[in-house]
Amino acid sequence: MENIQTRIDLTPLTTAIDAIRAEVGKVIVGQQQTIDLLLTALLADGHVLIEGVPGVAKTLTAKLLAKTMSVGFSRIQFTPDLMPSDVLGTSVFMPKTGDFVFRQGPIFSNLVLIDEINRAPAKTQAALFEVMEERQVTNDGTTYYLEEPFMVLATQNPIEQEGTYRLPEAQLDRFLFKIVVGYPDAAAEVAILRGHHLRRNLSDALDAISAVLTADQLAILRSQVHQVHVEDKLFDYIAQIVQATRANKSLYLGASPRASVALLNSAKALATLRGRDFITPEDVQELSPSVLRHRILLTPEREMEGGTADEVIAQLVQKIDVPR
């Protein structure tokens, strides 16, 4: 892996990522893995589903990431009565001209935070299919394109079931990652309490966050990610992992080819995040749970045994020979 013809100068990328980490770190304590995965998704141009119980800073982390960039930001609270037009926009009749004019909805932004995405019914969730995959909205036969960058950060609570709707597999497949946010450890929780005690309120802390990255700069960083070197044997390794999900007896549904592409793109982004211009098997292994856990379905028998998607992913990855 060391015989690489073209080297990439990752200094601007490293500088930008360090600056974002520093800004987010002014408010968020711990959650290093979550932040790394969000930065990886940002560089890989992918959407993220964040799952965790209330109070673990899912929404706050997403808002902080948006504040570190000079891009448009919108927040949509999903509710059972939310309609597709409330998200995408709608045609409005203008009496003066006698014409209908399309009024863009909150999805027309650069970084869109969708809170509690599983609270909206299937009709509203389906409205996200086209815009998340094709970065466009079609209304009355006219197509409206979204500006780059475009990234959806959606949160959901795994515990509460009343008043929620399960996300369709087709929509889950459009998320690059599903990040599971757990509780902080004791040391991190003490640091959270100290930070809360020292600052007057959260709005002051958010005001202290500065934008350190523009849309044009992000486009340049993403172009560097595309140039990351990938050896042929790593293409095989990624394909073997994803194909193993389709032949596993514990799984009712395996991962799609979109998962293979997601694993490749995110591994390239993670490599640059770690200061490398080539990916390693360890990058692929580290990202496999986040890329695959929402794209597979356990069999009823495995679920009754108390199995989890992450356990199955770990087992199948362990069985595949690591290329060296």
Side-chain angles (χ1 to χ4, degrees), residues 5 127 133 162 216 246 249 251 254 293 308:
Q5 298 290 326
E133 181 65 19
E162 191 174 343
D216 290 340
R246 302 168 195 164
K249 293 180 180 179
L251 298 179
R293 63 167 61 106
T308 65

Side-chain angles (χ1 to χ4, degrees), residues 67-321:
K67 287 211 64 158
T68 63
M69 296 183 287
S70 299
V71 297
F73 173 74
S74 66
R75 177 179 177 179
I76 313 171
Q77 179 68 51
F78 269 27
T79 56
D81 61 347
L82 196 72
M83 298 297 291
S85 58
D86 297 327
V87 178
L88 303 180
T90 186
S91 295
V92 178
F93 182 71
M94 307 299 288
K96 287 186 179 180
T97 61
D99 295 325
F100 283 91
V101 176
F102 180 64
R103 291 285 176 85
Q104 296 180 351
I107 200 71
F108 283 85
S109 192
N110 299 115
L111 202 154
V112 181
L113 170 62
I114 299 178
D115 254 337
E116 298 186 281
I117 189 171
N118 55 338
R119 288 210 173 276
K123 186 177 181 179
T124 302
Q125 291 182 10
L128 296 172
F129 282 17
E130 180 186 17
V131 70
M132 287 180 65
E133 181 65 19
E134 302 173 49
R135 317 294 172 97
Q136 65 183 38
V137 171
T138 303
N139 179 267
D140 292 336
T142 304
T143 300
Y144 303 89
Y145 296 94
L146 279 77
E147 293 182 4
E148 293 292 336
F150 174 66
M151 182 179 184
V152 172
L153 296 174
T155 69
Q156 70 174 14
N157 175 359
I159 305 300
E160 238 177 300
Q161 299 301 323
E162 191 174 343
T164 63
Y165 302 81
R166 193 176 185 280
L167 270 63
E169 274 68 41
Q171 184 176 350
L172 288 169
D173 203 24
R174 283 160 168 77
F175 285 101
L176 179 74
F177 292 151
K178 177 182 177 182
I179 302 175
V180 178
V181 182
Y183 290 115
D185 59 27
E189 194 142 7
V190 170
I192 290 169
L193 291 171
R194 290 187 190 279
H196 182 77
H197 173 69
L198 290 172
R199 60 174 174 251
R200 286 177 295 177
N201 55 59
L202 188 58
S203 62
D204 288 345
L206 290 172
D207 290 340
I209 303 299
S210 303
V212 294
L213 190 67
T214 65
D216 290 340
Q217 289 171 331
L218 178 58
I220 294 171
L221 300 186
R222 284 177 172 176
S223 69
Q224 289 189 312
V225 171
H226 290 308
Q227 300 170 41
V228 168
H229 178 79
V230 184
E231 288 200 348
D232 285 343
K233 56 189 177 184
L234 286 171
F235 290 124
D236 293 336
Y237 186 54
I238 291 171
Q240 286 179 45
I241 290 174
V242 175
Q243 291 211 337
T245 66
R246 302 168 195 164
N248 193 290
K249 293 180 180 179
S250 297
L251 298 179
Y252 172 73
L253 176 71
S256 72
R258 189 185 276 133
S260 302
V261 175
L263 198 47
L264 173 65
N265 289 341
S266 57
K268 288 161 70 174
L270 182 64
T272 62
L273 208 66
R274 302 281 160 81
R276 285 184 276 104
D277 58 0
F278 58 91
I279 73 170
T280 67
E282 288 72 26
D283 295 329
V284 177
Q285 292 167 3
E286 183 177 342
L287 292 171
S288 290
S290 299
V291 171
L292 297 175
R293 63 167 61 106
H294 57 298
R295 291 182 160 98
I296 60 176
L297 282 178
L298 296 178
T299 61
E301 295 79 14
R302 188 61 190 264
E303 279 191 311
M304 289 177 66
E305 292 169 1
T308 65
D310 283 13
E311 287 173 356
V312 174
I313 293 166
Q315 289 167 4
L316 66 85
V317 169
Q318 195 173 20
K319 291 178 181 176
I320 297 172
D321 292 335

